[in-house]
């Protein structure tokens, strides 16, 4: 059973939720932290030359001008004449990853950390919108102070909802989602649901299921008939009204920061 299934079927409590914390454009952020002058320039990070100098990551300024992950640097330069391209040293980010894992352990009970060390799923002791905003500010301030990186924090009653909330954020900030957040779920394309491939997403849109909200309203038997048992199992993780998870680990006290060192406005959607 995968970790999402374990989380979705765990015990009951009214004082916790699952959070998925992701460092915002980690590779570009590390380079900017090491060379602060790059924050004012359109920056892209590339792989080795034998990989064709494709873009691994880009900062927000470069993305706003048309740079995209996977694009060739030569094509990006035609769109952005003043583009700055730097080669990524994989060992350079290891210290940042270790520091992030250490920080995550202070916020709650860590359930998993992705293989690249840039995202963590954890259980945190919060019960309402005000506490969710407080923990987000706590996490953002810690990451900016220790790593000079912004974060995206997705929260929900299960790990799947937390991951969906994080993946639907278009800029640093946080979002809470559960199966009652109709207005927000209607704005999320079905293709943005984690673990749904492009081909499956196109088929669902063709069947009249364009958004995450429409996906959750389907009957499980209909999902199984059109998408098979794997998609039906994924649908079940979202559709089941699961209670929040128990919290069994002490974490550092939450305090509202007196000064928040955040270099850009944040979106907060509770």
């Amino acid at each position: 059973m995968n970790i999402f299934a374990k989380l979705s079927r765990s015990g009951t409590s009214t004082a916790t939720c699952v959070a998925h914390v992701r460092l915002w454009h980690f590779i570009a952020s590390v380079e900017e932290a090491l060379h602060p002058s790059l924050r004012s320039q359109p920056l892209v990070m590339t792989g080795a030359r034998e990989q064709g100098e494709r873009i691994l990551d880009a900062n927000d300024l470069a993305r706003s001008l048309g740079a995209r992950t996977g694009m060739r640097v030569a094509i990006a330069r035609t769109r952005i004449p003043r583009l700055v391209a730097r080669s990524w040293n994989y060992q350079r980010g290891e210290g940042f990853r270790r520091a992030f894992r250490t920080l995550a352990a202070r916020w709650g009970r860590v359930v998993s950390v992705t293989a690249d060390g840039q995202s963590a799923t954890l259980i945190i002791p919060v019960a309402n919108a005000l506490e969710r905003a407080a923990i987000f500010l706590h996490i953002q301030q810690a990451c900016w102070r220790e790593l000079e990186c912004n974060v995206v924090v997705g929260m929900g009653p299960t790990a799947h909802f937390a991951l969906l909330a994080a993946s639907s954020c278009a800029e640093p900030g946080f979002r809470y989602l559960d199966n009652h957040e109709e207005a927000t779920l209607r704005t999320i394309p079905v293709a943005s649901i984690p673990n749904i491939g492009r081909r499956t997403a196109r088929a669902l849109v063709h069947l009249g299921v364009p958004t995450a909200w429409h996906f959750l309203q389907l009957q499980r038997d209909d999902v199984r008939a059109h998408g098979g048992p794997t998609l039906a199992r994924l649908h079940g993780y979202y559709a089941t009204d699961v209670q929040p998870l128990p919290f069994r680990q002490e974490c550092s006290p939450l305090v509202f920061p007196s000064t928040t060192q955040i270099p850009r406005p944040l979106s907060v959607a509770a």
Side-chain angles (χ1 to χ4, degrees), residues 87-256:
S87 297
W88 171 241
N89 182 336
Y90 290 89
Q91 295 179 343
R92 187 177 298 168
E94 188 52 39
F96 284 77
R97 294 188 183 98
R98 287 197 299 268
F100 175 66
R101 286 192 289 266
T102 300
L103 286 172
R106 300 176 188 172
W107 303 323
R109 178 158 62 90
V110 177
V111 176
S112 65
V113 178
T114 54
D116 59 14
Q118 302 171 26
S119 302
T121 301
L122 52 152
I123 301 172
I124 56 176
V126 298
N128 55 49
L130 183 61
E131 291 180 350
R132 290 195 290 268
I135 188 63
F136 166 70
L137 291 175
H138 184 72
I139 291 171
Q140 172 64 93
Q141 187 189 46
C143 286
W144 184 251
R145 183 178 60 246
E146 301 291 335
L147 307 174
E148 295 190 41
C149 293
N150 285 317
V151 293
V152 166
V153 181
M155 301 183 193
T158 68
H160 275 89
F161 271 113
L163 182 57
L164 176 61
S167 64
S168 65
C169 287
E171 58 183 359
F174 89 93
R175 170 171 283 168
Y176 177 85
L177 282 179
D178 59 29
N179 52 11
H180 304 296
E181 300 286 337
E182 178 178 355
T184 303
L185 289 168
R186 283 183 178 275
T187 67
I188 301 174
V190 70
S192 297
I193 299 176
N195 301 316
I196 287 186
R198 294 182 180 179
R199 182 178 300 177
T200 302
R202 286 196 297 267
L204 288 170
V205 171
H206 181 71
L207 292 171
V209 186
T211 70
W213 171 256
H214 293 88
F215 179 69
L216 295 188
Q217 302 313 301
L218 293 174
Q219 296 297 317
R220 192 169 184 180
D221 290 342
D222 294 335
V223 178
R224 183 182 297 274
H226 293 287
T230 301
L231 189 63
R233 186 163 54 249
L234 175 63
H235 175 268
Y237 293 148
Y238 286 109
T240 304
D241 192 4
V242 182
Q243 295 294 321
L245 297 158
F247 184 72
R248 305 187 186 93
Q249 173 182 321
E250 294 295 328
C251 64
S252 43
L254 299 183
V255 294
F256 283 99

Side-chain angles (χ1 to χ4, degrees), residues 32 57 69 83 91 144 162 211 239:
E32 289 177 333
D57 197 8
T69 302
L83 186 72
Q91 295 179 343
W144 184 251
T211 70

Side-chain angles (χ1 to χ4, degrees), residues 11-59:
T12 62
S13 172
T14 58
T16 61
C17 74
V18 183
H20 185 81
V21 184
R22 173 167 55 86
L23 294 172
W24 181 252
H25 295 307
F26 173 77
I27 294 176
S29 294
V30 168
E31 195 71 13
E32 289 177 333
L34 296 173
H35 306 281
S37 62
L38 294 174
R39 291 198 177 102
S40 61
Q41 303 180 55
L43 170 70
V44 297
M45 301 300 298
T46 69
R49 290 186 178 276
E50 56 268 20
Q51 295 176 337
E53 286 199 338
R54 291 185 179 274
I55 296 174
L56 295 177
D57 197 8
N59 66 5

Side-chain angles (χ1 to χ4, degrees), residues 68-83:
R68 295 291 181 269
T69 302
M71 179 185 292
R72 291 187 181 276
V73 176
I75 295 176
R77 287 191 188 280
T78 64
R79 302 182 180 185
I80 315 169
R82 300 181 61 185
L83 186 72

